[in-house]
Amino acid sequence: MSGNGWRGSWVCSLLAILTVTFESLIRSGVQDVNQASIDIQQVSAALAAQGYRWQPPPALAQPGRTELFPSHLAPSWADPLLASLSHSRGGVHTVRWSIGARHIHAVPVGIPPSAQRVLSAVWAGPRPFHVPIEEVAKALAGAGVDARGLAFVVWACLSDADPLHQALGRLGVEPRQIGSDVRRATRKRAPLAGGPRLSIEFPVGPPCSSTCGPGCRCGRYLVLARLRFSAPSQVRSVLEVAVLESELLSVVDDTREPFAVRRFTRLVENVQEVLPAQGTRTAQAQRVRVLVDRSFTAALLIGSGFAPGPRGRAHVVRRLLRHAGTELALTGVSLTRLDTLVEAADRTVRTKLGFTPLSHHLLDTVREERERFARVLSRAPMLLERA
């Protein structure tokens, strides 16, 4: 065989191998769609099988922290994972609750819940880019995501994007599944790994136009995972991964509405039974969304030992309960229904996640806060007259 012929056959064989890599991932994803339970713990188990060591999550609110509660958007989010990797190689991961305390005054359409679980993983040491991308994609497929619909969006500048495109090409990802979003690369966050970034996304719903594809910010593509790699200038090679459970559940249940997933079905029904039909369908859906979000997040925090109060983290719980109470009052529903909704959130969602049911003592804190809020509302006409 001539040299050119040998090289030609070798290249064809290599392309076939690379194509099979992603095709095998697709087949495994289809199989897992029918068998896997829908839970971020499935993603955690898959990463553990790939060599990421499990690390117990830190407390929901640690003393000495400036933030009210942990948020996956905070620069310090990955800090608890760093201690065990300070002088070693390998990966660690954990699943912890993220509380969006700065946005509890409103829940606009389409944003994730105020409280959700987030899988965080960190890997220290040199690794080819395609390896963690394939691992995370397989882990998502194991949680019920159809791998055939995955899209990959590069956040980095053009000079940094080349190794990511090469890695995706090595996995056999088709060009139509790859997009770019230069705007996201300008976001001011101090991630652990400050180099190229990649998001793994999934389309839900119809396209906004004929040009809608990976990288389009119309809201169709839900971000399942974010990967951040070390910059070439960094001395130490580090990978940072975050997987959002709210997006995962929405993709598997094929909905853009974060509370239309099966996890919240019974709580949504409880809220709809309480609310009278008023206003437009959009306004009614917004009220349901607020009450579901506030009652569940309040139940989660109260069960973790945070009682309503005037300052700091206690004030977050107070604001959650009073925002829900305001929605009830504006629709003419008795405030006593607030106790019912928090108890329903605990029974239908929180305890299903493995928590112990709220005790009578903890449920009494909801009643006491509701009574305090009722006294505030009773003084409202007098305060308006004085204004």
Side-chain angles (χ1 to χ4, degrees):
M1 181 181 291
S2 63
N4 291 335
W6 180 86
R7 281 193 294 270
S9 62
W10 180 84
V11 170
C12 291
S13 300
L14 176 60
L15 290 175
I17 291 172
L18 297 180
T19 303
V20 168
T21 301
F22 198 70
E23 287 296 324
S24 63
L25 168 60
I26 289 175
R27 288 195 296 271
S28 65
V30 173
Q31 181 180 4
D32 289 333
V33 166
N34 299 322
Q35 297 179 354
S37 60
I38 305 169
D39 198 298
I40 201 168
Q41 297 293 353
Q42 295 293 116
V43 183
S44 174
L47 288 183
Q50 300 294 338
Y52 289 81
R53 302 191 305 275
W54 168 257
Q55 181 168 305
L60 190 58
Q62 295 178 299
R65 292 287 189 179
T66 57
E67 61 264 27
L68 295 174
F69 289 105
S71 170
H72 66 279
L73 298 175
S76 60
W77 174 258
D79 289 352
L81 295 175
L82 300 181
S84 59
L85 290 179
S86 57
H87 300 289
S88 63
R89 294 184 178 183
V92 295
H93 75 291
T94 191
V95 175
R96 58 192 296 210
W97 284 94
S98 173
I99 310 293
R102 284 178 289 184
H103 304 288
I104 65 168
H105 62 282
V107 182
V109 176
I111 73 167
S114 295
Q116 66 169 313
R117 291 190 295 187
V118 178
L119 183 149
S120 301
V122 175
W123 186 284
R127 288 182 107 197
F129 280 13
H130 72 277
V131 173
I133 296 174
E134 184 179 17
E135 289 176 349
V136 175
K138 283 184 175 180
L140 293 172
V145 176
D146 186 354
R148 292 169 294 187
L150 291 178
F152 302 84
V153 178
V154 178
W155 295 14
C157 337
L158 293 179
S159 59
D160 292 334
D162 291 338
L164 291 179
H165 281 103
Q166 292 173 8
L168 294 172
R170 182 170 181 176
L171 291 174
V173 179
E174 299 181 12
R176 63 179 178 80
Q177 297 175 267
I178 304 174
S180 60
D181 188 356
V182 179
R183 292 174 299 171
R184 289 193 171 187
T186 63
R187 289 189 177 181
K188 293 184 178 180
R189 180 184 181 272
L192 171 65
R197 307 182 192 183
L198 175 79
S199 65
I200 301 179
E201 308 182 3
F202 196 96
V204 174
C208 64
S209 65
S210 59
T211 59
C212 184
C216 182
R217 294 303 115 197
C218 65
R220 180 184 181 222
Y221 283 84
L222 302 183
V223 179
L224 291 170
R226 297 184 176 95
L227 287 76
R228 299 179 176 92
F229 300 85
S230 295
S233 58
Q234 287 184 247
V235 177
R236 195 160 185 247
S237 176
V238 177
L239 163 72
E240 182 183 356
V241 179
V243 180
L244 310 181
E245 187 174 39
S246 65
E247 307 284 305
L248 174 66
L249 297 178
S250 293
V251 165
V252 175
D253 285 348
D254 193 28
T255 176
R256 298 184 194 178
E257 167 58 52
F259 298 113
V261 299
R262 281 171 282 180
R263 172 173 293 176
F264 290 100
T265 298
R266 293 182 60 192
L267 180 55
V268 169
E269 292 173 351
N270 278 269
V271 171
Q272 290 173 337
E273 291 174 0
V274 167
L275 284 178
Q278 293 182 0
T280 65
R281 181 178 299 180
T282 301
Q284 184 76 354
Q286 176 72 355
R287 283 191 288 269
V288 172
R289 185 179 298 112
V290 167
L291 288 171
V292 170
D293 179 81
R294 301 307 186 251
S295 58
F296 168 66
T297 308
L300 177 70
L301 294 178
I302 291 171
S304 300
F306 302 99
R311 296 180 182 84
R313 295 157 185 158
H315 188 58
V316 172
V317 182
R318 169 166 288 178
R319 288 173 63 192
L320 288 166
L321 292 173
R322 294 195 176 190
H323 190 188
T326 300
E327 290 294 331
L328 293 174
L330 289 176
T331 54
V333 177
S334 171
L335 281 183
T336 56
R337 290 290 192 170
L338 181 60
D339 310 26
T340 305
L341 292 182
V342 173
E343 191 276 332
D346 177 58
R347 182 184 70 256
T348 63
V349 183
R350 182 178 169 274
T351 55
K352 303 299 183 182
L353 295 171
F355 291 101
T356 303
L358 293 178
S359 64
H360 292 295
H361 171 72
L362 292 177
L363 290 173
D364 283 343
T365 64
V366 178
R367 176 186 54 78
E368 293 167 359
E369 180 60 27
R370 183 252 303 164
E371 292 173 348
R372 282 191 289 265
F373 185 48
R375 290 193 290 270
V376 172
L377 291 181
S378 66
R379 296 198 304 269
M382 179 182 62
L383 296 175
L384 288 174
E385 291 177 0
R386 292 180 179 178

Short mmCIF file of all heavy atoms in Angstrom, two decimals, residues 11-25 130 134 166-173:
data_model
loop_
_atom_site.label_atom_id
_atom_site.label_comp_id
_atom_site.label_asym_id
_atom_site.label_seq_id
_atom_site.Cartn_x
_atom_site.Cartn_y
_atom_site.Cartn_z
N VAL A 11 -7.01 8.29 8.12
CA VAL A 11 -7.87 9.44 8.40
C VAL A 11 -9.33 9.03 8.43
O VAL A 11 -10.10 9.44 9.30
CB VAL A 11 -7.64 10.56 7.34
CG1 VAL A 11 -8.69 11.65 7.51
CG2 VAL A 11 -6.24 11.14 7.48
N CYS A 12 -9.76 8.20 7.47
CA CYS A 12 -11.15 7.73 7.44
C CYS A 12 -11.50 6.95 8.71
O CYS A 12 -12.57 7.11 9.29
CB CYS A 12 -11.39 6.84 6.22
SG CYS A 12 -11.34 7.76 4.66
N SER A 13 -10.55 6.10 9.16
CA SER A 13 -10.79 5.34 10.38
C SER A 13 -10.91 6.25 11.59
O SER A 13 -11.76 6.05 12.47
CB SER A 13 -9.65 4.33 10.60
OG SER A 13 -9.57 3.43 9.51
N LEU A 14 -10.04 7.28 11.64
CA LEU A 14 -10.08 8.22 12.77
C LEU A 14 -11.41 8.97 12.80
O LEU A 14 -12.04 9.11 13.85
CB LEU A 14 -8.92 9.21 12.66
CG LEU A 14 -8.87 10.32 13.73
CD1 LEU A 14 -8.75 9.69 15.11
CD2 LEU A 14 -7.71 11.26 13.46
N LEU A 15 -11.88 9.44 11.62
CA LEU A 15 -13.16 10.15 11.57
C LEU A 15 -14.30 9.24 12.00
O LEU A 15 -15.24 9.67 12.68
CB LEU A 15 -13.41 10.67 10.14
CG LEU A 15 -12.51 11.81 9.68
CD1 LEU A 15 -12.78 12.14 8.21
CD2 LEU A 15 -12.71 13.04 10.54
N ALA A 16 -14.25 7.98 11.61
CA ALA A 16 -15.29 7.05 12.01
C ALA A 16 -15.32 6.86 13.52
O ALA A 16 -16.38 6.82 14.14
CB ALA A 16 -15.09 5.70 11.31
N ILE A 17 -14.13 6.77 14.13
CA ILE A 17 -14.04 6.59 15.57
C ILE A 17 -14.61 7.80 16.30
O ILE A 17 -15.38 7.68 17.26
CB ILE A 17 -12.58 6.35 16.00
CG1 ILE A 17 -12.11 4.99 15.49
CG2 ILE A 17 -12.43 6.44 17.51
CD1 ILE A 17 -10.63 4.75 15.69
N LEU A 18 -14.27 9.02 15.82
CA LEU A 18 -14.74 10.23 16.47
C LEU A 18 -16.24 10.37 16.34
O LEU A 18 -16.92 10.84 17.26
CB LEU A 18 -14.03 11.46 15.86
CG LEU A 18 -12.51 11.50 16.06
CD1 LEU A 18 -11.93 12.75 15.42
CD2 LEU A 18 -12.15 11.44 17.54
N THR A 19 -16.79 9.99 15.20
CA THR A 19 -18.23 10.07 15.00
C THR A 19 -18.96 9.10 15.91
O THR A 19 -19.99 9.41 16.49
CB THR A 19 -18.59 9.79 13.53
OG1 THR A 19 -17.88 10.72 12.70
CG2 THR A 19 -20.09 9.93 13.30
N VAL A 20 -18.42 7.92 16.07
CA VAL A 20 -19.05 6.90 16.91
C VAL A 20 -19.08 7.35 18.36
O VAL A 20 -20.00 7.02 19.11
CB VAL A 20 -18.30 5.56 16.77
CG1 VAL A 20 -18.74 4.58 17.85
CG2 VAL A 20 -18.56 4.96 15.39
N THR A 21 -18.10 8.16 18.79
CA THR A 21 -18.05 8.59 20.18
C THR A 21 -19.34 9.28 20.58
O THR A 21 -19.97 8.93 21.58
CB THR A 21 -16.86 9.55 20.39
OG1 THR A 21 -15.66 8.87 20.03
CG2 THR A 21 -16.78 9.99 21.84
N PHE A 22 -19.76 10.30 19.82
CA PHE A 22 -20.98 11.01 20.18
C PHE A 22 -22.22 10.19 19.86
O PHE A 22 -23.22 10.29 20.55
CB PHE A 22 -21.03 12.36 19.46
CG PHE A 22 -22.00 13.31 20.10
CD1 PHE A 22 -21.74 13.86 21.33
CD2 PHE A 22 -23.18 13.65 19.46
CE1 PHE A 22 -22.63 14.73 21.94
CE2 PHE A 22 -24.08 14.52 20.06
CZ PHE A 22 -23.81 15.06 21.29
N GLU A 23 -22.17 9.34 18.81
CA GLU A 23 -23.32 8.49 18.52
C GLU A 23 -23.59 7.52 19.66
O GLU A 23 -24.74 7.25 20.00
CB GLU A 23 -23.06 7.70 17.22
CG GLU A 23 -23.13 8.55 15.97
CD GLU A 23 -24.52 9.11 15.73
OE1 GLU A 23 -25.51 8.42 16.04
OE2 GLU A 23 -24.62 10.26 15.26
N SER A 24 -22.53 7.00 20.29
CA SER A 24 -22.73 6.10 21.43
C SER A 24 -23.33 6.84 22.61
O SER A 24 -24.13 6.29 23.36
CB SER A 24 -21.40 5.45 21.82
OG SER A 24 -20.47 6.44 22.26
N LEU A 25 -22.93 8.10 22.76
CA LEU A 25 -23.52 8.92 23.82
C LEU A 25 -25.00 9.10 23.57
O LEU A 25 -25.83 9.02 24.48
CB LEU A 25 -22.81 10.28 23.86
CG LEU A 25 -23.47 11.37 24.72
CD1 LEU A 25 -23.55 10.93 26.15
CD2 LEU A 25 -22.71 12.67 24.59
N HIS A 130 -12.15 17.75 25.65
CA HIS A 130 -13.28 16.91 25.24
C HIS A 130 -13.71 15.93 26.33
O HIS A 130 -14.86 15.47 26.34
CB HIS A 130 -12.94 16.14 23.95
CG HIS A 130 -11.96 15.03 24.15
ND1 HIS A 130 -10.59 15.25 24.19
CD2 HIS A 130 -12.14 13.69 24.34
CE1 HIS A 130 -9.99 14.09 24.38
NE2 HIS A 130 -10.89 13.13 24.47
N GLU A 134 -17.67 15.43 27.45
CA GLU A 134 -18.34 14.15 27.23
C GLU A 134 -18.89 13.60 28.54
O GLU A 134 -20.01 13.06 28.58
CB GLU A 134 -17.37 13.15 26.61
CG GLU A 134 -18.02 11.82 26.27
CD GLU A 134 -17.04 10.86 25.62
OE1 GLU A 134 -15.82 11.08 25.72
OE2 GLU A 134 -17.50 9.88 25.01
N GLN A 166 -12.50 22.52 18.71
CA GLN A 166 -11.73 21.31 18.38
C GLN A 166 -12.20 20.13 19.23
O GLN A 166 -12.32 19.00 18.74
CB GLN A 166 -10.24 21.57 18.60
CG GLN A 166 -9.65 22.58 17.62
CD GLN A 166 -8.22 22.95 17.97
OE1 GLN A 166 -7.62 22.35 18.87
NE2 GLN A 166 -7.66 23.93 17.28
N ALA A 167 -12.47 20.40 20.51
CA ALA A 167 -12.94 19.33 21.39
C ALA A 167 -14.31 18.82 20.95
O ALA A 167 -14.55 17.61 20.93
CB ALA A 167 -13.00 19.85 22.83
N LEU A 168 -15.21 19.73 20.58
CA LEU A 168 -16.53 19.32 20.13
C LEU A 168 -16.44 18.54 18.82
O LEU A 168 -17.16 17.56 18.61
CB LEU A 168 -17.44 20.54 19.96
CG LEU A 168 -17.79 21.27 21.27
CD1 LEU A 168 -18.53 22.57 20.96
CD2 LEU A 168 -18.63 20.38 22.18
N GLY A 169 -15.54 18.99 17.95
CA GLY A 169 -15.34 18.25 16.71
C GLY A 169 -14.79 16.86 16.96
O GLY A 169 -15.15 15.90 16.28
N ARG A 170 -13.94 16.75 17.95
CA ARG A 170 -13.37 15.44 18.29
C ARG A 170 -14.44 14.49 18.80
O ARG A 170 -14.35 13.27 18.60
CB ARG A 170 -12.26 15.60 19.32
CG ARG A 170 -11.58 14.30 19.69
CD ARG A 170 -10.34 14.55 20.52
NE ARG A 170 -9.67 13.29 20.84
CZ ARG A 170 -8.53 13.19 21.49
NH1 ARG A 170 -7.90 14.29 21.88
NH2 ARG A 170 -8.00 12.02 21.75
N LEU A 171 -15.48 15.04 19.43
CA LEU A 171 -16.58 14.22 19.92
C LEU A 171 -17.60 13.90 18.84
O LEU A 171 -18.57 13.17 19.10
CB LEU A 171 -17.28 14.92 21.09
CG LEU A 171 -16.48 15.03 22.40
CD1 LEU A 171 -17.22 15.88 23.41
CD2 LEU A 171 -16.19 13.65 22.97
N GLY A 172 -17.42 14.45 17.67
CA GLY A 172 -18.36 14.20 16.59
C GLY A 172 -19.62 15.04 16.64
O GLY A 172 -20.63 14.70 16.02
N VAL A 173 -19.60 16.16 17.39
CA VAL A 173 -20.76 17.05 17.47
C VAL A 173 -20.91 17.78 16.13
O VAL A 173 -19.95 18.35 15.61
CB VAL A 173 -20.60 18.07 18.61
CG1 VAL A 173 -21.79 19.01 18.66
CG2 VAL A 173 -20.43 17.33 19.95
#
